[in-house]
Structure formats: C-alpha cells, structure tokens
Amino acid sequence: MTSDLLAPLDLAFWNIESPQHPMHLGALGVFAAHSPTAGAHAVDLLAARAVTVPGLRMRIRDVWQPLAFPPAFGGAARQPVPDFDPLDHVRLHAPATDFHDVAGRLMQRPLGRGRPPWEAHVLPGEDGTDFAVLFKFHLALADGLRALTLAAGLMDPMDLPELRPRPAETPRGLLPDPRRLPGLVRGALSDVGQALDIGASVARATWDVRSTPALTSRPTGTRRTAGVVIDLDDVHRVRKAAGGTVNDVLIALVAGALRRWLEERGDSSDGVAPRALIPVSRRRPRTAHPQGNRLSGYLIRLPVDDPDPLTRLGAVRTAMDRNKDAGPSRGAGAVALLADHVPPLGHRLGGALVGQAARLLFDILVTSVPLPSLGMKLGSCPLTQVFPFAPLARGQALAVAVSTFRGAVHYGLIADGEAVPDLDVLARGLSEEAAELVEVSGS
C-alpha cells in the first residue's frame, strides 16, 4: 500500500481545522438488535474487519517535495500505518436512551492527527432492541462517497458493486512529464480566468447580505445533533404536483423549517434570505484522486422571508435552475475550486485565515450524501436509519446533510450547542413543513 499526496481541497480541509471546528464528517447508523449483546458483538466485528480495509490504515503525514509539479512544499500525504491497531478507533459506550445526545458530544471531539483519522463509536440502546454506530471520517481522508465505501467495507459481506473502491492513480513523481507541459500551461491559463470569475462572483455574493444572527456562531466547540425522517413518497408527490426536482423540494423544506424555527424563537424572518452553499460533486468515474475531495457548489438565497410554502419552493427551483444553467465551475458556490490554485505551502500558512472566511461566503451548508438503495447489515442486524452529519465551519451555527435510504429521506442536523440549544425545534419544523407542503400542493 503506497502513499499519495493530498489533493488541494483535502489539504485545505486538513489545514483549516481547529480544536473548536474539527473537519470531519459523520454518519449515525441505527441498527435493529437481535439480542441485548448485539452492540458488543458489533464492536468485535468492526475491529476485526477494519484490519482488512486498506483505506482505514492511512494516516496524514507532512511531506516536503519542493521539486514536485505542482509544488508540494508544505503538502501532506496519506501514508499507511505499519502498526495499525483497530481497537484505537472502535469504541463501545454505555447504553443510551438518546443516540443523538451522545452523537453530539462525540462529534465535537477532533480526530487524532497522528493516526488514521477515523473512529467508530458503538452506542447500545438502553432497551436492547437497537444500537447505533457513529462513524467519523476526516475530510482529508475521505469525502462522502469514499467514507461510504470505507464504512461499507465494515458491514456484512454483500454484493455492492457501486461501492467497490476504484483503482488508485499512479503516484505522482517529483518532476512533471515533459510531454504534459504544453497542456499544463494551457490549463493554468484557463484556470486563471476561472479563478477571476469565481472571485468576482464571491464579491457580488457578499453584497446585500440578508441573514439572521441566529445562524451566526462564536467558536464554542460544542455540538448538538438531531435527525428527521420524511417519507420519500411524500417528496415525490410534491415534486410531481409543484414541479422541480427532489433536491429542490428538500432544500425548500430547509427554508420552511428555518422560518418556523425563527418564529418559535420570537425572531423576525422579515427580509431574511440566508445564503446556502449546496456542494456539487465533480467526481468522474475511474479518474485520478479516487479518495480526494472534488467539489464545487451552488450558492442560493433561501427564501425564509416568504410566508407561502409553494412560493418558497418556486424560488428555490428558480435559483437552482439558474445555477445549473451557469454550471458548477463558475460562480460564488464554486469557491472550493480556488483550492486548486493555491500552492501547498499557501494552504499550510493560510489555513487559519481561510477557516475564518467561511462566514463571509455563506450562512448555512445544505449538502446531499449518497447512500446505496440496498439494505445493509452489521452482525446480521439490519440498518434501519442513517443520519449524515457535515462539518461545521468557523462562524457557522448550523449545517444540514440529507440522504435518501430505503424509501425515506434522512436529515442529519448538526449545530453549535450553545448557539442552537433548541435544535429539536428546527427538527420538528422540518417534519411540519413537509406535512404542510404535501397538503398545500394537493398531492
């Protein structure tokens, strides 16, 4: 197993991390237990299987390659750990009555940077009928799709061809292939123009900001999580009746839930239209950097100030159509692409500054995490629910991740624990908004 340099965006995630803002994603899976000891058995299975998954043995190490192209001075690489001990990463906790209460406290803990940056926490249910597993993966180790591949490798064996790891690229050498130089020069010139377009769009996006103090957080380092399950058939009914895509409906539900949350808090929603960053994967099948983050994004205003659910959905649909017409490689939402234009040493020296900038670029993250449609099991215990969690950037009070799994939409909410002590109110607002949207759309 060889080492490979981090892609620019992975390197950025590694360097912008701070103790109050760890850059790991998470997923809380709930399993039906066939016995009160199923949770303890799950720990044994996870530890035994982790040894057989090569990607789980990789740690992040500093590398110094000043002659590389592009320059890798100040970069980092994934390297295998020769003395990997899975019991350092898989832990059994005391029985829990509320999985999300425990998950919030675990999500606020940064992953160890001197060892493979992932963890699996097994939470037995107090009544013995279920248990949960919280997976944590650093974004420098794996993006959402790669994390899914790694987690699937720990589940019971099953035929999941779409989750099999793709062949890794040939490790990059110290010097570029001379035959590639003309293309690299042309690409660099094109990239400069793209970077200027993105920069101008970012500047325009910061004008006339209409957010709410409720979405602003000081870096307390505390975390709360919550989960909401919505019938996917209801979402499809709304989509067919009102138009747009499933993703449009899911984003509109977030806007409506934010409005309900502000009203219950006694905060005004007048004129509030926070900027939502919608990540877009730029992954291509069987291309380079199968483990690296390849992300762009769309930036839209969430119509929280509009009182009508159908009008909110229409506004989201229009904004998303406009973004899709422009494409994911230009515009303010494509700011992640700028990481490709920063040398590794720049990521190292400027990581703290970049981490401070998230609040200036967007107010809330709303991201979709792909999941397989097939059922998954751990120790013959079926996975019944799974709630994804996104990292919480500095200055952000709330992030929303959403996945569809076995006929249901699973929202995973993560928030700064002190800025949003009432995350359960927002979660309830999602369910209420879905019910109202079904009703008013006549579906």
Side-chain angles (χ1 to χ4, degrees):
M1 184 166 46
T2 60
S3 61
D4 65 293
L5 291 175
L6 296 188
L9 190 54
D10 297 333
L11 187 59
F13 287 137
W14 188 247
N15 284 298
I16 66 175
E17 182 173 62
S18 69
Q20 291 78 26
H21 291 87
M23 286 289 104
H24 57 250
L25 50 82
L28 181 68
V30 180
F31 297 82
H34 51 60
S35 74
T37 61
H41 181 51
V43 172
D44 295 335
L45 287 176
L46 291 171
R49 293 171 180 174
V51 178
T52 68
V53 181
L56 296 179
R57 302 173 64 96
M58 305 295 280
R59 63 182 172 182
I60 311 298
R61 303 288 289 178
D62 294 337
V63 294
W64 306 95
Q65 294 180 278
L67 297 180
F69 190 93
F73 186 79
R78 303 180 190 87
Q79 297 179 342
V81 175
D83 54 349
F84 174 68
D85 184 355
L87 292 179
D88 288 339
H89 302 267
V90 182
R91 300 166 189 172
L92 178 66
H93 293 257
T97 56
D98 184 345
F99 294 141
H100 281 285
D101 184 53
V102 181
R105 295 196 298 271
L106 293 173
M107 283 296 292
Q108 71 190 32
R109 301 179 188 173
L111 293 165
R113 293 175 72 90
R115 61 183 185 177
W118 69 275
E119 293 174 351
H121 298 270
V122 179
L123 317 175
E126 196 167 59
D127 59 5
T129 62
D130 58 5
F131 67 91
V133 180
L134 175 68
F135 291 102
K136 295 167 56 179
F137 296 96
H138 199 287
L139 277 170
L141 177 71
D143 63 2
L145 185 58
R146 178 63 178 168
L148 174 60
T149 302
L150 295 173
L154 301 175
M155 299 295 105
D156 290 357
M158 57 192 306
D159 185 18
L160 292 175
E162 70 273 21
L163 296 179
R164 291 173 184 162
R166 298 186 174 99
E169 71 166 341
T170 302
R172 288 173 282 172
L174 292 177
L175 294 174
D177 185 340
R179 294 170 296 182
R180 296 179 58 225
L181 286 176
L184 291 171
V185 172
R186 288 194 299 271
L189 292 175
S190 175
D191 288 349
V192 170
Q194 182 187 37
L196 291 174
D197 282 350
I198 294 171
S201 296
V202 168
R204 289 193 296 270
T206 60
W207 299 341
D208 189 28
V209 174
R210 294 182 294 156
S211 185
T212 168
L215 292 177
T216 303
S217 166
R218 294 181 178 178
T220 69
T222 60
R223 295 291 182 270
R224 293 178 184 270
T225 71
V228 179
V229 180
I230 294 172
D231 192 330
L232 183 58
D233 286 341
D234 286 343
V235 175
H236 280 298
R237 292 188 189 101
V238 172
R239 176 188 62 81
K240 291 178 181 178
T245 67
V246 166
N247 201 42
D248 294 341
V249 177
L250 299 181
I251 296 171
L253 291 179
V254 174
L258 288 173
R259 180 181 177 85
R260 293 171 182 271
W261 173 60
L262 290 176
E263 289 177 345
E264 187 149 344
R265 277 186 158 208
D267 294 341
S268 174
S269 59
D270 292 343
V272 173
R275 299 160 299 175
L277 179 63
I278 316 294
V280 177
S281 175
R282 296 171 57 239
R283 221 183 242 280
R284 295 180 180 177
R286 303 185 183 278
T287 54
H289 300 299
Q291 298 178 351
N293 280 278
R294 304 293 295 170
L295 291 174
S296 180
Y298 298 140
L299 195 69
I300 73 169
R301 296 277 188 177
L302 293 180
V304 173
D305 54 346
D306 197 303
D308 180 68
L310 288 178
T311 305
R312 285 196 294 268
L313 175 55
V316 168
R317 178 184 178 184
T318 298
M320 288 298 289
D321 286 346
R322 187 182 304 116
N323 274 294
K324 292 171 186 174
D325 289 341
S329 297
R330 297 182 185 274
V335 67
L337 300 183
L338 296 179
D340 294 339
H341 307 286
V342 178
L345 185 59
H347 284 295
R348 180 181 296 275
L349 298 178
L353 181 61
V354 173
Q356 298 276 3
R359 181 67 183 86
L360 301 176
L361 300 174
F362 62 95
D363 304 298
I364 183 174
L365 178 73
V366 182
T367 184
S368 176
V369 180
L371 290 177
S373 58
L374 300 177
M376 303 179 73
K377 296 181 180 181
L378 179 58
S380 300
C381 298
L383 177 64
T384 60
Q385 296 179 329
V386 58
F387 302 99
F389 302 127
L392 203 59
R394 183 179 297 274
Q396 307 291 318
L398 175 69
V400 180
V402 58
S403 293
T404 57
F405 179 68
R406 306 199 71 182
V409 176
H410 291 74
Y411 280 94
L413 311 178
I414 187 165
D416 183 280
E418 294 187 19
V420 189
D422 52 351
L423 189 60
D424 58 320
V425 174
L426 181 61
R428 186 174 69 247
L430 273 168
S431 298
E432 293 172 349
E433 183 70 12
E436 182 174 0
L437 198 51
V438 169
E439 181 180 355
V440 298
S441 64
S443 53

